[in-house]
Amino acid sequence: MELVLPKIPHILSLNKTEMFEILNSIVSKSYRIKQIQDWIYFKKVIDFKQMTNIPQDLIVKLEQNFLSYLPEVSDIQISSDKTKKFLIKLFDGEYIEMVLMPGKKKNTLCISSQVGCSRKCQFCATAKLGLIRNLKIEELLMQIMLVYKYFPDINLTNIVLMGMGEPLDNYENVISFLKIIQDPTAYAFSGRRVTVSTCGVIPQIMKLADSGIKVKLAVSLNSAIDFKRSIIMPVNDIYNLSELKKSLFYFRKKSAFRITFEYIMIENFNMGNEDIKALVKFCGDISCKINLIKWNAVKGLDWKSPSDEQVLDFINKLSHIPAAITLRNSRGQDINGACGQLAGNCYDNCK
Ligand code: SF4
């Protein structure tokens, strides 16, 4: 049975000004607004009953005017490298996953933007679900709040929208979310600590460039040859490499940050000499860095991961490219939490 939520806003769906306006209409003493917003933005507490300096009568009013629930976490798997994968049950019974990657200098949360995805990338477990729905603004922010609920001592430094879904296909909600988390008087994640990853949805890349929002952009490239990219990423049939490149030049003109290209290395597919030549040509004249990632096995997909020797050989052959090249350790592989693996468990266990 579908749960019907009351028609009042979730506290996490509002930016600071919108929240202020509603709070202002229900509090009798204006300093209470700052107290409530301090709980939310700095102590990361949204359960009004836990706001110990707020009087009971105001707590009742807050509960009458805002939703403040967090979704249920059905499971947290912890990888040998300390990566933590959360399986989250949303209010309507749908599931998403998010991945927390603790590090020495930074703690990164990889969040989901959609339940499923429509883009059909052939290396991706989420693609098997198809698109079920977009996540709401509050469902994007709830993922951050859940980290603080389950790991209150963590200092979350970086957010990447690289989990389930194509963030730019949920453009309006993602933009509202970015504005909320980047507000320097609220959660204060600066642009260099937030990355939006896309498979290459050109109109939305241009819109994001024009939006004035400062974020890093990561593009899932995986081949710089059109017909090959189309095989693993059908989005390339709509937005080909040459058009993608133009949009990235446009984005780069408006952004202080280099573009990041993600390149999943697949044996006998995108690691040959012609692939290297095409990659050098595609990336050679744009300020960028390239993250190389070994293909992570996904149940039901037949691609093969390259050996360490093949990876080294590939990197050596790319070494004259002006871009910085990083071999990214795929974290959380043993819990299916690495790149392209999200939704694997969810798909098997919950559907
Ligand atoms: S890689 Fe990203 S865009 Fe492609 S199907 Fe998976 S979630 Fe969607």
Side-chain angles (χ1 to χ4, degrees):
M1 193 175 66
E2 197 179 326
L3 181 68
V4 180
L5 295 172
K7 287 203 179 321
I8 50 176
H10 195 288
I11 192 93
L12 296 178
S13 70
L14 305 170
N15 64 35
K16 202 172 178 185
T17 312
E18 292 164 340
M19 197 190 296
F20 180 91
E21 276 166 18
I22 302 178
L23 289 173
N24 201 30
S25 70
I26 60 174
V27 300
S28 51
K29 297 179 179 114
S30 58
Y31 68 88
R32 294 287 183 204
I33 297 177
K34 184 170 180 326
Q35 285 179 325
I36 294 164
Q37 291 190 323
D38 278 354
W39 278 105
I40 296 167
Y41 296 135
F42 302 114
K43 301 188 186 103
K44 313 290 190 299
V45 168
I46 60 166
D47 179 351
F48 301 124
K49 289 194 178 71
Q50 289 180 26
M51 298 180 178
T52 48
N53 56 356
I54 304 299
Q56 185 55 38
D57 59 332
L58 181 50
I59 289 176
V60 171
K61 278 193 199 166
L62 289 169
E63 288 176 337
Q64 288 166 347
N65 283 274
F66 300 102
L67 296 172
S68 66
Y69 68 90
L70 285 178
E72 180 188 322
V73 172
S74 302
D75 189 28
I76 302 177
Q77 287 179 269
I78 302 181
S79 154
S80 53
D81 65 11
K82 305 231 171 30
T83 296
K84 296 165 181 68
K85 184 173 78 166
F86 293 62
L87 178 61
I88 301 166
K89 186 176 183 184
L90 301 172
F91 77 96
D92 57 357
E94 297 295 346
Y95 287 84
I96 54 165
E97 294 180 322
M98 68 172 188
V99 180
L100 174 62
M101 294 163 282
K104 282 199 184 99
K105 291 195 185 141
K106 58 181 189 177
N107 296 307
T108 302
L109 180 65
C110 174
I111 73 169
S112 290
S113 55
Q114 297 180 306
V115 184
C117 181
S118 69
R119 292 293 174 180
K120 299 187 172 70
C121 300
Q122 293 300 299
F123 50 84
C124 173
T126 305
K128 292 197 283 182
L129 300 172
L131 176 63
I132 297 168
R133 69 172 174 86
N134 284 332
L135 292 189
K136 301 169 180 206
I137 302 166
E138 61 266 32
E139 290 173 325
L140 297 166
L141 208 48
M142 281 170 184
Q143 296 177 65
I144 295 177
M145 289 300 183
L146 284 173
V147 171
Y148 288 111
K149 179 175 174 187
Y150 283 86
F151 300 97
D153 295 331
I154 204 158
N155 174 26
L156 206 52
T157 58
N158 291 63
I159 304 291
V160 295
L161 285 92
M162 276 188 198
M164 294 166 64
E166 163 55 59
L168 297 185
D169 282 345
N170 184 12
Y171 185 83
E172 299 303 331
N173 288 347
V174 164
I175 292 296
S176 298
F177 163 75
L178 293 174
K179 285 182 181 164
I180 292 172
I181 65 165
Q182 294 197 339
D183 180 341
T185 66
Y187 300 104
F189 284 94
S190 68
R192 74 190 158 78
R193 299 199 288 136
V194 182
T195 301
V196 172
S197 173
T198 179
C199 63
V201 185
I202 291 176
Q204 272 82 339
I205 292 175
M206 310 286 279
K207 246 171 117 175
L208 183 62
D210 288 334
S211 71
I213 291 173
K214 305 291 176 221
V215 279
K216 291 184 172 176
L217 186 68
V219 177
S220 187
L221 186 62
N222 307 316
S223 176
I225 299 174
D226 268 313
F227 88 88
K228 284 198 181 185
R229 191 166 189 266
S230 289
I231 291 172
I232 46 170
M233 301 185 70
V235 69
N236 197 72
D237 288 333
I238 310 168
Y239 307 117
N240 67 22
L241 285 163
S242 135
E243 295 302 313
L244 176 63
K245 184 80 174 279
K246 282 187 214 155
S247 74
L248 296 179
F249 273 130
Y250 186 76
F251 187 89
R252 190 64 194 85
K253 251 201 276 175
K254 305 246 173 164
S255 163
F257 306 119
R258 286 184 295 177
I259 306 283
T260 299
F261 290 113
E262 310 280 346
Y263 197 98
I264 296 176
M265 295 173 288
I266 303 172
E267 190 187 23
N268 294 330
F269 179 70
N270 62 358
M271 299 179 68
N273 288 337
E274 60 167 9
D275 302 294
I276 292 167
K277 211 171 137 194
L279 187 56
V280 171
K281 188 164 175 236
F282 190 82
C283 300
D285 56 357
I286 188 160
S287 170
C288 67
K289 61 177 185 165
I290 303 173
N291 282 339
L292 299 174
I293 308 150
K294 268 173 94 166
W295 153 253
N296 296 306
V298 172
K299 219 175 175 182
L301 298 180
D302 286 337
W303 305 104
K304 269 174 113 181
S305 190
S307 66
D308 290 347
E309 292 72 37
Q310 287 169 317
V311 169
L312 269 182
D313 184 51
F314 189 69
I315 294 174
N316 282 338
K317 287 177 177 159
L318 278 178
S319 56
H320 60 290
I321 210 168
I325 295 172
T326 314
L327 176 61
R328 225 176 66 191
N329 281 333
S330 261
R331 300 192 53 179
Q333 285 180 59
D334 52 335
I335 54 169
N336 284 345
C339 291
Q341 291 183 318
L342 290 190
N345 277 2
C346 185
Y347 185 78
D348 291 343
N349 296 343
C350 312
K351 293 285 151 182

